[in-house]
Amino acid sequence: MKKQSRGLVQVYTGDGKGKTTAALGLALRATGQGMSVIIIQFVKGDFTCGEHLFAAQGHPFEIVQLNTGDSFAQSWEELRSTTEQSFAFAERAIRSGGYDIVILDEIFVAVSKELISIEQVLNLMSEKPENMELILTGRGAPSEVIERADLVTEMVAVKHPFTKGVEARRGIEY
Ligand code: ATP
Ligand code: MG
Protein backbone atom coordinates (compact mmCIF):
# COMPACT_ATOMS: atom_id res chain seq x y z
CA MET A 1 0.00 0.00 0.00
CA LYS A 2 1.42 3.36 -1.03
CA LYS A 3 1.93 5.61 1.99
CA GLN A 4 0.25 8.98 1.94
CA SER A 5 2.84 11.69 1.34
CA ARG A 6 1.96 14.22 3.99
CA GLY A 7 -0.34 13.79 6.97
CA LEU A 8 -2.26 16.74 8.37
CA VAL A 9 -3.76 17.71 11.70
CA GLN A 10 -7.55 17.71 11.77
CA VAL A 11 -9.82 19.09 14.50
CA TYR A 12 -13.51 18.19 14.95
CA THR A 13 -15.05 20.43 17.57
CA GLY A 14 -18.29 22.28 18.44
CA ASP A 15 -21.44 21.55 20.43
CA GLY A 16 -23.33 19.56 17.81
CA LYS A 17 -23.39 15.81 17.29
CA GLY A 18 -20.90 14.27 14.88
CA LYS A 19 -17.34 14.73 16.16
CA THR A 20 -16.57 11.20 17.34
CA THR A 21 -18.65 9.62 14.58
CA ALA A 22 -16.81 11.68 11.92
CA ALA A 23 -13.52 10.37 13.32
CA LEU A 24 -14.89 6.81 13.26
CA GLY A 25 -16.06 7.25 9.67
CA LEU A 26 -12.53 8.31 8.75
CA ALA A 27 -11.14 5.27 10.60
CA LEU A 28 -13.46 3.00 8.59
CA ARG A 29 -12.48 4.61 5.29
CA ALA A 30 -8.75 4.53 6.00
CA THR A 31 -8.87 0.93 7.25
CA GLY A 32 -10.57 -0.02 3.99
CA GLN A 33 -7.62 1.52 2.16
CA GLY A 34 -5.23 -0.72 4.09
CA MET A 35 -4.05 1.98 6.48
CA SER A 36 -3.35 1.36 10.16
CA VAL A 37 -5.46 3.33 12.61
CA ILE A 38 -5.44 3.75 16.37
CA ILE A 39 -8.09 5.58 18.38
CA ILE A 40 -7.28 6.70 21.92
CA GLN A 41 -10.28 7.87 23.88
CA PHE A 42 -9.92 10.33 26.70
CA VAL A 43 -12.75 11.41 29.03
CA LYS A 44 -15.72 9.12 28.34
CA GLY A 45 -18.96 8.10 30.00
CA ASP A 46 -19.99 4.72 31.33
CA PHE A 47 -21.65 3.28 28.20
CA THR A 48 -19.94 0.55 26.21
CA CYS A 49 -19.65 2.22 22.84
CA GLY A 50 -20.46 0.31 19.65
CA GLU A 51 -17.05 1.24 18.24
CA HIS A 52 -15.35 -0.82 20.99
CA LEU A 53 -17.60 -3.80 20.23
CA PHE A 54 -16.86 -3.37 16.52
CA ALA A 55 -13.09 -3.14 17.06
CA ALA A 56 -13.20 -6.35 19.08
CA GLN A 57 -14.68 -8.20 16.07
CA GLY A 58 -11.82 -8.93 13.67
CA HIS A 59 -9.78 -5.99 14.98
CA PRO A 60 -10.15 -3.62 12.01
CA PHE A 61 -8.44 -0.92 14.05
CA GLU A 62 -7.13 -0.45 17.57
CA ILE A 63 -9.19 1.41 20.13
CA VAL A 64 -7.84 2.18 23.56
CA GLN A 65 -9.70 3.58 26.56
CA LEU A 66 -7.68 3.50 29.75
CA ASN A 67 -10.23 5.05 32.05
CA THR A 68 -12.95 2.68 33.21
CA GLY A 69 -16.28 3.60 34.72
CA ASP A 70 -18.03 6.90 34.32
CA SER A 71 -15.49 9.70 33.85
CA PHE A 72 -18.10 12.19 34.91
CA ALA A 73 -18.61 10.49 38.29
CA GLN A 74 -14.88 10.32 39.12
CA SER A 75 -12.85 12.77 41.14
CA TRP A 76 -10.46 15.11 39.32
CA GLU A 77 -7.50 13.23 40.85
CA GLU A 78 -8.76 9.87 39.57
CA LEU A 79 -9.39 11.30 36.14
CA ARG A 80 -6.00 12.99 36.15
CA SER A 81 -4.23 9.71 36.75
CA THR A 82 -5.95 7.81 33.90
CA THR A 83 -5.69 10.83 31.61
CA GLU A 84 -1.93 10.99 32.17
CA GLN A 85 -1.72 7.32 31.21
CA SER A 86 -3.84 7.93 28.11
CA PHE A 87 -1.67 10.89 27.17
CA ALA A 88 1.54 8.88 27.59
CA PHE A 89 -0.01 6.13 25.46
CA ALA A 90 -0.88 8.72 22.79
CA GLU A 91 2.68 10.09 22.84
CA ARG A 92 4.09 6.60 22.32
CA ALA A 93 1.63 5.87 19.49
CA ILE A 94 2.56 9.12 17.74
CA ARG A 95 6.32 8.79 18.24
CA SER A 96 6.30 5.12 17.14
CA GLY A 97 5.48 6.17 13.60
CA GLY A 98 3.66 2.84 13.36
CA TYR A 99 0.26 4.29 12.47
CA ASP A 100 -1.02 6.11 9.40
CA ILE A 101 -3.80 7.70 11.44
CA VAL A 102 -3.94 8.51 15.16
CA ILE A 103 -7.27 9.70 16.58
CA LEU A 104 -7.32 11.33 20.02
CA ASP A 105 -11.01 11.33 20.82
CA GLU A 106 -12.34 13.86 23.38
CA ILE A 107 -8.85 15.20 24.01
CA PHE A 108 -10.30 18.72 24.21
CA VAL A 109 -12.62 17.63 27.02
CA ALA A 110 -9.48 16.62 28.94
CA VAL A 111 -8.02 20.06 28.21
CA SER A 112 -11.22 21.82 29.35
CA LYS A 113 -11.06 19.92 32.63
CA GLU A 114 -7.40 20.96 33.00
CA LEU A 115 -6.28 17.35 33.00
CA ILE A 116 -3.94 18.13 30.08
CA SER A 117 -2.49 21.51 29.18
CA ILE A 118 -2.81 23.23 25.81
CA GLU A 119 1.00 23.16 25.55
CA GLN A 120 0.98 19.37 25.87
CA VAL A 121 -1.44 19.14 22.92
CA LEU A 122 0.63 21.60 20.85
CA ASN A 123 3.76 19.55 21.61
CA LEU A 124 2.02 16.36 20.46
CA MET A 125 1.04 18.09 17.23
CA SER A 126 4.64 19.13 16.60
CA GLU A 127 5.91 15.59 17.23
CA LYS A 128 3.65 14.09 14.59
CA PRO A 129 5.67 12.19 11.97
CA GLU A 130 5.39 13.68 8.47
CA ASN A 131 3.28 10.83 7.06
CA MET A 132 0.83 10.54 9.95
CA GLU A 133 -2.64 12.09 9.98
CA LEU A 134 -3.61 13.27 13.48
CA ILE A 135 -7.27 13.75 14.39
CA LEU A 136 -8.25 15.61 17.57
CA THR A 137 -11.86 15.75 18.72
CA GLY A 138 -13.98 17.24 21.47
CA ARG A 139 -15.96 20.31 22.40
CA GLY A 140 -14.09 23.52 23.01
CA ALA A 141 -10.92 23.15 20.90
CA PRO A 142 -8.50 25.84 22.16
CA SER A 143 -7.79 28.70 19.73
CA GLU A 144 -4.04 27.92 19.76
CA VAL A 145 -4.79 24.41 18.47
CA ILE A 146 -7.27 25.70 15.86
CA GLU A 147 -4.58 28.13 14.69
CA ARG A 148 -2.02 25.37 14.18
CA ALA A 149 -4.33 22.69 12.70
CA ASP A 150 -4.65 22.19 8.94
CA LEU A 151 -8.34 21.28 8.89
CA VAL A 152 -10.95 22.38 11.43
CA THR A 153 -14.64 21.46 11.38
CA GLU A 154 -17.09 22.82 13.92
CA MET A 155 -20.27 20.80 14.45
CA VAL A 156 -23.07 23.26 15.22
CA ALA A 157 -25.99 22.05 17.35
CA VAL A 158 -28.84 23.37 15.22
CA LYS A 159 -31.13 20.79 16.88
CA HIS A 160 -30.45 17.90 19.26
CA PRO A 161 -33.13 15.55 20.68
CA PHE A 162 -31.35 15.63 24.06
CA THR A 163 -32.82 19.09 24.63
CA LYS A 164 -36.29 17.47 24.33
CA GLY A 165 -35.37 14.87 26.94
CA VAL A 166 -34.40 12.02 24.56
CA GLU A 167 -31.59 10.11 26.31
CA ALA A 168 -28.48 8.69 24.63
CA ARG A 169 -29.50 5.82 22.34
CA ARG A 170 -27.56 2.57 21.86
CA GLY A 171 -25.92 2.39 18.44
CA ILE A 172 -26.65 6.08 17.78
CA GLU A 173 -24.98 7.97 20.64
CA TYR A 174 -22.88 5.12 22.05
P1 ATP B 1 -21.08 11.46 18.35
O1 ATP B 1 -20.26 10.52 19.22
O2 ATP B 1 -22.49 11.03 18.29
O3 ATP B 1 -20.43 11.77 17.05
P2 ATP B 1 -20.02 13.90 19.45
O4 ATP B 1 -18.70 13.22 19.55
O5 ATP B 1 -20.11 15.03 18.50
O6 ATP B 1 -21.16 12.84 19.14
P3 ATP B 1 -19.76 14.68 22.24
O7 ATP B 1 -19.50 16.11 22.45
O8 ATP B 1 -18.65 13.72 22.37
O9 ATP B 1 -20.50 14.45 20.85
O10 ATP B 1 -20.96 14.33 23.19
C1 ATP B 1 -21.17 13.10 23.79
C2 ATP B 1 -22.59 12.70 23.66
O11 ATP B 1 -23.49 13.80 23.70
C3 ATP B 1 -22.89 11.99 22.33
O12 ATP B 1 -23.68 10.90 22.65
C4 ATP B 1 -23.63 12.99 21.52
O13 ATP B 1 -24.58 12.41 20.62
C5 ATP B 1 -24.33 13.83 22.53
N1 ATP B 1 -24.49 15.20 22.05
C6 ATP B 1 -23.87 15.75 21.01
N2 ATP B 1 -24.27 17.01 20.80
C7 ATP B 1 -25.17 17.28 21.77
C8 ATP B 1 -25.97 18.43 22.12
N3 ATP B 1 -25.94 19.53 21.41
N4 ATP B 1 -26.76 18.33 23.21
C9 ATP B 1 -26.78 17.21 23.92
N5 ATP B 1 -26.09 16.09 23.66
C10 ATP B 1 -25.29 16.11 22.58
MG1 MG C 1 -17.44 12.71 21.04
Side-chain angles (χ1 to χ4, degrees):
M1 182 63 55
K2 188 175 169 288
K3 288 267 176 189
Q4 53 184 357
S5 50
R6 191 167 105 77
L8 304 178
V9 177
Q10 302 190 27
V11 166
Y12 305 152
T13 191
D15 293 335
K17 177 178 171 67
K19 301 173 288 294
T20 297
T21 46
L24 290 169
L26 184 86
L28 178 155
R29 174 177 286 170
T31 302
Q33 294 285 8
M35 296 161 85
S36 60
V37 178
I38 185 166
I39 302 169
I40 299 160
Q41 294 190 313
F42 285 78
V43 183
K44 278 280 176 182
D46 205 13
F47 295 114
T48 299
C49 288
E51 52 266 38
H52 285 264
L53 300 171
F54 177 73
Q57 301 165 12
H59 307 284
F61 47 72
E62 283 179 64
I63 183 160
V64 176
Q65 185 183 342
L66 297 177
N67 68 296
T68 50
D70 184 358
S71 293
F72 300 96
Q74 285 164 358
S75 69
W76 187 86
E77 288 72 21
E78 273 179 289
L79 265 182
R80 167 77 181 217
S81 154
T82 48
T83 302
E84 269 176 5
Q85 291 170 39
S86 302
F87 191 83
F89 197 98
E91 277 181 325
R92 285 198 299 276
I94 289 172
R95 289 176 185 155
S96 75
Y99 298 97
D100 298 305
I101 300 190
V102 174
I103 297 171
L104 305 182
D105 190 32
E106 314 299 359
I107 190 163
F108 300 132
V109 179
V111 174
S112 305
K113 290 179 178 288
E114 299 184 355
L115 299 160
I116 300 176
S117 69
I118 296 173
E119 288 67 35
Q120 281 179 291
V121 179
L122 294 173
N123 285 342
L124 264 194
M125 289 165 74
S126 62
E127 286 186 45
K128 181 188 82 58
E130 185 77 5
N131 295 334
M132 180 185 284
E133 191 93 1
L134 178 63
I135 318 295
L136 309 169
T137 90
R139 294 165 186 230
S143 54
E144 296 90 330
V145 172
I146 289 177
E147 186 93 8
R148 287 258 299 274
D150 302 291
L151 183 161
V152 179
T153 298
E154 182 172 8
M155 275 66 179
V156 177
V158 176
K159 270 191 179 186
H160 197 290
F162 184 80
T163 58
K164 288 191 174 161
V166 178
E167 293 194 353
R169 293 166 301 155
R170 184 172 67 90
I172 310 291
E173 269 84 42
Y174 66 91

PDB file of all heavy atoms in Angstrom, residues 115-139:
ATOM      1  N   LEU A 115      -6.982  18.614  32.743  1.00  0.00           N
ATOM      2  CA  LEU A 115      -6.278  17.352  32.998  1.00  0.00           C
ATOM      3  C   LEU A 115      -5.024  17.290  32.132  1.00  0.00           C
ATOM      4  O   LEU A 115      -4.071  16.578  32.452  1.00  0.00           O
ATOM      5  CB  LEU A 115      -7.195  16.170  32.665  1.00  0.00           C
ATOM      6  CG  LEU A 115      -8.491  16.106  33.483  1.00  0.00           C
ATOM      7  CD1 LEU A 115      -9.536  15.255  32.786  1.00  0.00           C
ATOM      8  CD2 LEU A 115      -8.203  15.569  34.877  1.00  0.00           C
ATOM      9  N   ILE A 116      -5.060  18.014  31.027  1.00  0.00           N
ATOM     10  CA  ILE A 116      -3.943  18.128  30.077  1.00  0.00           C
ATOM     11  C   ILE A 116      -3.841  19.608  29.750  1.00  0.00           C
ATOM     12  O   ILE A 116      -4.867  20.289  29.668  1.00  0.00           O
ATOM     13  CB  ILE A 116      -4.254  17.379  28.763  1.00  0.00           C
ATOM     14  CG1 ILE A 116      -4.512  15.897  28.987  1.00  0.00           C
ATOM     15  CG2 ILE A 116      -3.147  17.549  27.735  1.00  0.00           C
ATOM     16  CD1 ILE A 116      -4.920  15.184  27.699  1.00  0.00           C
ATOM     17  N   SER A 117      -2.615  20.096  29.528  1.00  0.00           N
ATOM     18  CA  SER A 117      -2.486  21.515  29.176  1.00  0.00           C
ATOM     19  C   SER A 117      -2.523  21.698  27.654  1.00  0.00           C
ATOM     20  O   SER A 117      -2.282  20.748  26.895  1.00  0.00           O
ATOM     21  CB  SER A 117      -1.182  22.078  29.722  1.00  0.00           C
ATOM     22  OG  SER A 117      -0.096  21.503  29.029  1.00  0.00           O
ATOM     23  N   ILE A 118      -2.810  22.917  27.242  1.00  0.00           N
ATOM     24  CA  ILE A 118      -2.812  23.232  25.808  1.00  0.00           C
ATOM     25  C   ILE A 118      -1.411  22.993  25.236  1.00  0.00           C
ATOM     26  O   ILE A 118      -1.263  22.457  24.138  1.00  0.00           O
ATOM     27  CB  ILE A 118      -3.251  24.699  25.588  1.00  0.00           C
ATOM     28  CG1 ILE A 118      -4.692  24.875  26.054  1.00  0.00           C
ATOM     29  CG2 ILE A 118      -3.106  25.104  24.124  1.00  0.00           C
ATOM     30  CD1 ILE A 118      -5.188  26.305  26.034  1.00  0.00           C
ATOM     31  N   GLU A 119      -0.389  23.340  26.008  1.00  0.00           N
ATOM     32  CA  GLU A 119       0.999  23.158  25.547  1.00  0.00           C
ATOM     33  C   GLU A 119       1.279  21.686  25.261  1.00  0.00           C
ATOM     34  O   GLU A 119       1.970  21.358  24.300  1.00  0.00           O
ATOM     35  CB  GLU A 119       2.002  23.667  26.599  1.00  0.00           C
ATOM     36  CG  GLU A 119       2.064  25.172  26.722  1.00  0.00           C
ATOM     37  CD  GLU A 119       0.775  25.792  27.288  1.00  0.00           C
ATOM     38  OE1 GLU A 119       0.128  25.160  28.172  1.00  0.00           O
ATOM     39  OE2 GLU A 119       0.404  26.874  26.822  1.00  0.00           O
ATOM     40  N   GLN A 120       0.756  20.808  26.105  1.00  0.00           N
ATOM     41  CA  GLN A 120       0.979  19.375  25.870  1.00  0.00           C
ATOM     42  C   GLN A 120       0.388  18.948  24.524  1.00  0.00           C
ATOM     43  O   GLN A 120       0.989  18.148  23.803  1.00  0.00           O
ATOM     44  CB  GLN A 120       0.350  18.540  26.993  1.00  0.00           C
ATOM     45  CG  GLN A 120       1.183  18.508  28.264  1.00  0.00           C
ATOM     46  CD  GLN A 120       0.473  17.689  29.332  1.00  0.00           C
ATOM     47  OE1 GLN A 120      -0.560  18.092  29.852  1.00  0.00           O
ATOM     48  NE2 GLN A 120       1.019  16.541  29.661  1.00  0.00           N
ATOM     49  N   VAL A 121      -0.798  19.495  24.202  1.00  0.00           N
ATOM     50  CA  VAL A 121      -1.435  19.138  22.923  1.00  0.00           C
ATOM     51  C   VAL A 121      -0.626  19.718  21.758  1.00  0.00           C
ATOM     52  O   VAL A 121      -0.372  19.033  20.757  1.00  0.00           O
ATOM     53  CB  VAL A 121      -2.904  19.640  22.870  1.00  0.00           C
ATOM     54  CG1 VAL A 121      -3.553  19.291  21.534  1.00  0.00           C
ATOM     55  CG2 VAL A 121      -3.713  19.048  24.016  1.00  0.00           C
ATOM     56  N   LEU A 122      -0.171  20.970  21.911  1.00  0.00           N
ATOM     57  CA  LEU A 122       0.630  21.598  20.849  1.00  0.00           C
ATOM     58  C   LEU A 122       1.931  20.818  20.635  1.00  0.00           C
ATOM     59  O   LEU A 122       2.358  20.616  19.493  1.00  0.00           O
ATOM     60  CB  LEU A 122       0.932  23.062  21.198  1.00  0.00           C
ATOM     61  CG  LEU A 122      -0.285  23.997  21.239  1.00  0.00           C
ATOM     62  CD1 LEU A 122       0.118  25.367  21.761  1.00  0.00           C
ATOM     63  CD2 LEU A 122      -0.941  24.124  19.868  1.00  0.00           C
ATOM     64  N   ASN A 123       2.539  20.350  21.731  1.00  0.00           N
ATOM     65  CA  ASN A 123       3.765  19.547  21.614  1.00  0.00           C
ATOM     66  C   ASN A 123       3.511  18.250  20.850  1.00  0.00           C
ATOM     67  O   ASN A 123       4.306  17.861  19.993  1.00  0.00           O
ATOM     68  CB  ASN A 123       4.349  19.214  22.991  1.00  0.00           C
ATOM     69  CG  ASN A 123       5.037  20.413  23.604  1.00  0.00           C
ATOM     70  OD1 ASN A 123       5.368  21.374  22.900  1.00  0.00           O
ATOM     71  ND2 ASN A 123       5.232  20.377  24.911  1.00  0.00           N
ATOM     72  N   LEU A 124       2.381  17.600  21.176  1.00  0.00           N
ATOM     73  CA  LEU A 124       2.022  16.362  20.463  1.00  0.00           C
ATOM     74  C   LEU A 124       1.900  16.629  18.971  1.00  0.00           C
ATOM     75  O   LEU A 124       2.370  15.853  18.140  1.00  0.00           O
ATOM     76  CB  LEU A 124       0.665  15.841  20.948  1.00  0.00           C
ATOM     77  CG  LEU A 124       0.591  14.781  22.009  1.00  0.00           C
ATOM     78  CD1 LEU A 124      -0.817  14.203  22.051  1.00  0.00           C
ATOM     79  CD2 LEU A 124       1.596  13.668  21.782  1.00  0.00           C
ATOM     80  N   MET A 125       1.242  17.748  18.636  1.00  0.00           N
ATOM     81  CA  MET A 125       1.042  18.095  17.226  1.00  0.00           C
ATOM     82  C   MET A 125       2.386  18.282  16.529  1.00  0.00           C
ATOM     83  O   MET A 125       2.561  17.873  15.379  1.00  0.00           O
ATOM     84  CB  MET A 125       0.209  19.382  17.109  1.00  0.00           C
ATOM     85  CG  MET A 125      -1.247  19.180  17.499  1.00  0.00           C
ATOM     86  SD  MET A 125      -2.125  20.748  17.788  1.00  0.00           S
ATOM     87  CE  MET A 125      -2.330  21.358  16.132  1.00  0.00           C
ATOM     88  N   SER A 126       3.342  18.874  17.249  1.00  0.00           N
ATOM     89  CA  SER A 126       4.642  19.132  16.605  1.00  0.00           C
ATOM     90  C   SER A 126       5.489  17.864  16.495  1.00  0.00           C
ATOM     91  O   SER A 126       6.406  17.795  15.687  1.00  0.00           O
ATOM     92  CB  SER A 126       5.395  20.243  17.333  1.00  0.00           C
ATOM     93  OG  SER A 126       5.641  19.840  18.646  1.00  0.00           O
ATOM     94  N   GLU A 127       5.146  16.849  17.292  1.00  0.00           N
ATOM     95  CA  GLU A 127       5.907  15.590  17.234  1.00  0.00           C
ATOM     96  C   GLU A 127       5.390  14.630  16.179  1.00  0.00           C
ATOM     97  O   GLU A 127       5.978  13.577  15.943  1.00  0.00           O
ATOM     98  CB  GLU A 127       5.830  14.873  18.584  1.00  0.00           C
ATOM     99  CG  GLU A 127       6.678  15.514  19.646  1.00  0.00           C
ATOM    100  CD  GLU A 127       6.687  14.676  20.907  1.00  0.00           C
ATOM    101  OE1 GLU A 127       6.836  13.442  20.816  1.00  0.00           O
ATOM    102  OE2 GLU A 127       6.532  15.256  21.974  1.00  0.00           O
ATOM    103  N   LYS A 128       4.275  14.988  15.563  1.00  0.00           N
ATOM    104  CA  LYS A 128       3.652  14.086  14.589  1.00  0.00           C
ATOM    105  C   LYS A 128       4.615  13.789  13.434  1.00  0.00           C
ATOM    106  O   LYS A 128       5.121  14.711  12.809  1.00  0.00           O
ATOM    107  CB  LYS A 128       2.390  14.769  14.046  1.00  0.00           C
ATOM    108  CG  LYS A 128       1.617  13.959  13.055  1.00  0.00           C
ATOM    109  CD  LYS A 128       0.515  14.764  12.421  1.00  0.00           C
ATOM    110  CE  LYS A 128       0.979  15.649  11.282  1.00  0.00           C
ATOM    111  NZ  LYS A 128       1.641  14.934  10.190  1.00  0.00           N
ATOM    112  N   PRO A 129       4.853  12.503  13.139  1.00  0.00           N
ATOM    113  CA  PRO A 129       5.675  12.192  11.967  1.00  0.00           C
ATOM    114  C   PRO A 129       5.016  12.731  10.693  1.00  0.00           C
ATOM    115  O   PRO A 129       3.784  12.813  10.614  1.00  0.00           O
ATOM    116  CB  PRO A 129       5.703  10.660  11.940  1.00  0.00           C
ATOM    117  CG  PRO A 129       5.346  10.227  13.309  1.00  0.00           C
ATOM    118  CD  PRO A 129       4.427  11.281  13.853  1.00  0.00           C
ATOM    119  N   GLU A 130       5.840  13.074   9.736  1.00  0.00           N
ATOM    120  CA  GLU A 130       5.394  13.683   8.474  1.00  0.00           C
ATOM    121  C   GLU A 130       4.211  12.939   7.818  1.00  0.00           C
ATOM    122  O   GLU A 130       3.248  13.562   7.379  1.00  0.00           O
ATOM    123  CB  GLU A 130       6.606  13.717   7.528  1.00  0.00           C
ATOM    124  CG  GLU A 130       6.384  14.410   6.205  1.00  0.00           C
ATOM    125  CD  GLU A 130       6.388  15.925   6.295  1.00  0.00           C
ATOM    126  OE1 GLU A 130       6.657  16.461   7.386  1.00  0.00           O
ATOM    127  OE2 GLU A 130       6.106  16.553   5.272  1.00  0.00           O
ATOM    128  N   ASN A 131       4.291  11.609   7.797  1.00  0.00           N
ATOM    129  CA  ASN A 131       3.276  10.834   7.065  1.00  0.00           C
ATOM    130  C   ASN A 131       1.978  10.601   7.827  1.00  0.00           C
ATOM    131  O   ASN A 131       1.022  10.089   7.271  1.00  0.00           O
ATOM    132  CB  ASN A 131       3.822   9.434   6.735  1.00  0.00           C
ATOM    133  CG  ASN A 131       4.971   9.485   5.791  1.00  0.00           C
ATOM    134  OD1 ASN A 131       5.095  10.434   5.015  1.00  0.00           O
ATOM    135  ND2 ASN A 131       5.826   8.488   5.852  1.00  0.00           N
ATOM    136  N   MET A 132       1.974  10.909   9.116  1.00  0.00           N
ATOM    137  CA  MET A 132       0.834  10.537   9.952  1.00  0.00           C
ATOM    138  C   MET A 132      -0.255  11.616   9.925  1.00  0.00           C
ATOM    139  O   MET A 132       0.036  12.796   9.956  1.00  0.00           O
ATOM    140  CB  MET A 132       1.335  10.344  11.386  1.00  0.00           C
ATOM    141  CG  MET A 132       0.276   9.945  12.386  1.00  0.00           C
ATOM    142  SD  MET A 132       1.013   9.892  14.051  1.00  0.00           S
ATOM    143  CE  MET A 132       1.927   8.359  13.960  1.00  0.00           C
ATOM    144  N   GLU A 133      -1.509  11.156   9.858  1.00  0.00           N
ATOM    145  CA  GLU A 133      -2.645  12.086   9.976  1.00  0.00           C
ATOM    146  C   GLU A 133      -3.079  12.038  11.448  1.00  0.00           C
ATOM    147  O   GLU A 133      -3.243  10.959  12.022  1.00  0.00           O
ATOM    148  CB  GLU A 133      -3.784  11.621   9.054  1.00  0.00           C
ATOM    149  CG  GLU A 133      -4.915  12.602   8.877  1.00  0.00           C
ATOM    150  CD  GLU A 133      -4.758  13.512   7.656  1.00  0.00           C
ATOM    151  OE1 GLU A 133      -3.768  13.380   6.905  1.00  0.00           O
ATOM    152  OE2 GLU A 133      -5.634  14.389   7.467  1.00  0.00           O
ATOM    153  N   LEU A 134      -3.240  13.193  12.061  1.00  0.00           N
ATOM    154  CA  LEU A 134      -3.612  13.267  13.478  1.00  0.00           C
ATOM    155  C   LEU A 134      -4.978  13.933  13.590  1.00  0.00           C
ATOM    156  O   LEU A 134      -5.177  15.037  13.081  1.00  0.00           O
ATOM    157  CB  LEU A 134      -2.557  14.077  14.242  1.00  0.00           C
ATOM    158  CG  LEU A 134      -2.797  14.310  15.735  1.00  0.00           C
ATOM    159  CD1 LEU A 134      -2.812  12.989  16.512  1.00  0.00           C
ATOM    160  CD2 LEU A 134      -1.724  15.238  16.303  1.00  0.00           C
ATOM    161  N   ILE A 135      -5.908  13.237  14.252  1.00  0.00           N
ATOM    162  CA  ILE A 135      -7.271  13.753  14.392  1.00  0.00           C
ATOM    163  C   ILE A 135      -7.529  14.018  15.876  1.00  0.00           C
ATOM    164  O   ILE A 135      -7.331  13.136  16.712  1.00  0.00           O
ATOM    165  CB  ILE A 135      -8.334  12.710  13.915  1.00  0.00           C
ATOM    166  CG1 ILE A 135      -7.914  11.996  12.626  1.00  0.00           C
ATOM    167  CG2 ILE A 135      -9.709  13.345  13.811  1.00  0.00           C
ATOM    168  CD1 ILE A 135      -7.791  12.825  11.407  1.00  0.00           C
ATOM    169  N   LEU A 136      -7.961  15.220  16.184  1.00  0.00           N
ATOM    170  CA  LEU A 136      -8.250  15.608  17.568  1.00  0.00           C
ATOM    171  C   LEU A 136      -9.727  15.981  17.645  1.00  0.00           C
ATOM    172  O   LEU A 136     -10.204  16.773  16.833  1.00  0.00           O
ATOM    173  CB  LEU A 136      -7.397  16.824  17.955  1.00  0.00           C
ATOM    174  CG  LEU A 136      -5.886  16.707  17.682  1.00  0.00           C
ATOM    175  CD1 LEU A 136      -5.208  18.064  17.866  1.00  0.00           C
ATOM    176  CD2 LEU A 136      -5.248  15.680  18.605  1.00  0.00           C
ATOM    177  N   THR A 137     -10.439  15.406  18.624  1.00  0.00           N
ATOM    178  CA  THR A 137     -11.864  15.746  18.715  1.00  0.00           C
ATOM    179  C   THR A 137     -12.239  16.239  20.112  1.00  0.00           C
ATOM    180  O   THR A 137     -11.502  16.016  21.076  1.00  0.00           O
ATOM    181  CB  THR A 137     -12.803  14.548  18.365  1.00  0.00           C
ATOM    182  OG1 THR A 137     -13.099  13.818  19.561  1.00  0.00           O
ATOM    183  CG2 THR A 137     -12.220  13.616  17.335  1.00  0.00           C
ATOM    184  N   GLY A 138     -13.394  16.828  20.189  1.00  0.00           N
ATOM    185  CA  GLY A 138     -13.984  17.241  21.465  1.00  0.00           C
ATOM    186  C   GLY A 138     -14.465  18.674  21.426  1.00  0.00           C
ATOM    187  O   GLY A 138     -13.986  19.492  20.648  1.00  0.00           O
ATOM    188  N   ARG A 139     -15.439  18.933  22.283  1.00  0.00           N
ATOM    189  CA  ARG A 139     -15.964  20.305  22.396  1.00  0.00           C
ATOM    190  C   ARG A 139     -14.872  21.241  22.877  1.00  0.00           C
ATOM    191  O   ARG A 139     -14.013  20.835  23.653  1.00  0.00           O
ATOM    192  CB  ARG A 139     -17.094  20.337  23.427  1.00  0.00           C
ATOM    193  CG  ARG A 139     -18.287  19.552  22.972  1.00  0.00           C
ATOM    194  CD  ARG A 139     -19.239  19.284  24.120  1.00  0.00           C
ATOM    195  NE  ARG A 139     -20.278  18.397  23.613  1.00  0.00           N
ATOM    196  CZ  ARG A 139     -21.568  18.601  23.746  1.00  0.00           C
ATOM    197  NH1 ARG A 139     -22.010  19.636  24.415  1.00  0.00           N
ATOM    198  NH2 ARG A 139     -22.432  17.756  23.231  1.00  0.00           N
TER     199      ARG A 139
END
